[in-house]
Amino acid sequence: MDIFKMFNKNACSLGGGGSLKWTWADYYKNKETLEADGTKVVLVDMIGQPVTGSVPISNELFDGRYPDGTYFVLYCHSGGSSGFLQKQLTPQLPKYNFVNMMGGIGAYRPSEMFK
């Protein structure tokens, strides 16, 4: 599987969001809760605009290095392409959970999230 053939990092997809969506505030809250229970949460940068704690998207992310049940939280520019990719990956990799970051990087406001 070549992950880079599944989306265009420079386009906002009209394919829209996937079924499981989080806001940035949800991400930080859910990450803390899930990781306290031993579940891995990976924030995936699809567009080359890294935020603290994110990893760039790559084919290697899904090669088995992360345990079953891992949450991959995908973000792009607006949430459209990440939602489109989420819809494609979910049935192909059912051992993982894929989350679409609503609003993408455009909704990232760290000064408001950590008050």
Side-chain angles (χ1 to χ4, degrees):
M1 168 175 66
D2 185 355
I3 196 75
F4 296 100
K5 291 183 179 179
M6 300 175 89
F7 75 100
N8 178 344
K9 75 174 189 169
N10 296 315
C12 292
S13 170
L14 297 177
S19 58
L20 183 56
K21 302 174 188 176
W22 289 352
T23 64
W24 284 96
D26 293 336
Y27 164 73
Y28 288 107
K29 178 182 163 205
N30 293 335
K31 177 179 171 59
E32 183 177 334
T33 302
L34 288 165
E35 289 188 341
D37 291 336
T39 302
K40 183 77 177 155
V41 178
V42 181
L43 181 61
V44 181
D45 171 16
M46 293 177 50
I47 55 174
Q49 292 186 2
V51 300
T52 302
S54 69
V55 298
I57 193 159
S58 69
N59 293 316
E60 293 76 26
L61 281 177
F62 313 111
D63 68 0
R65 72 179 60 197
Y66 291 100
D68 290 3
T70 296
Y71 279 74
F72 290 97
V73 183
L74 309 169
Y75 74 88
C76 63
H77 294 287
S78 68
S81 293
S82 53
F84 182 74
L85 183 61
Q86 175 196 29
K87 288 178 185 178
Q88 295 180 68
L89 291 176
T90 297
Q92 290 186 46
L93 299 167
K95 66 183 182 175
Y96 298 128
N97 300 289
F98 293 94
V99 179
N100 178 27
M101 185 68 75
M102 292 188 334
I105 195 72
Y108 182 65
R109 307 274 189 278
S111 61
E112 295 174 15
M113 289 176 229
F114 301 109
K115 289 182 179 180

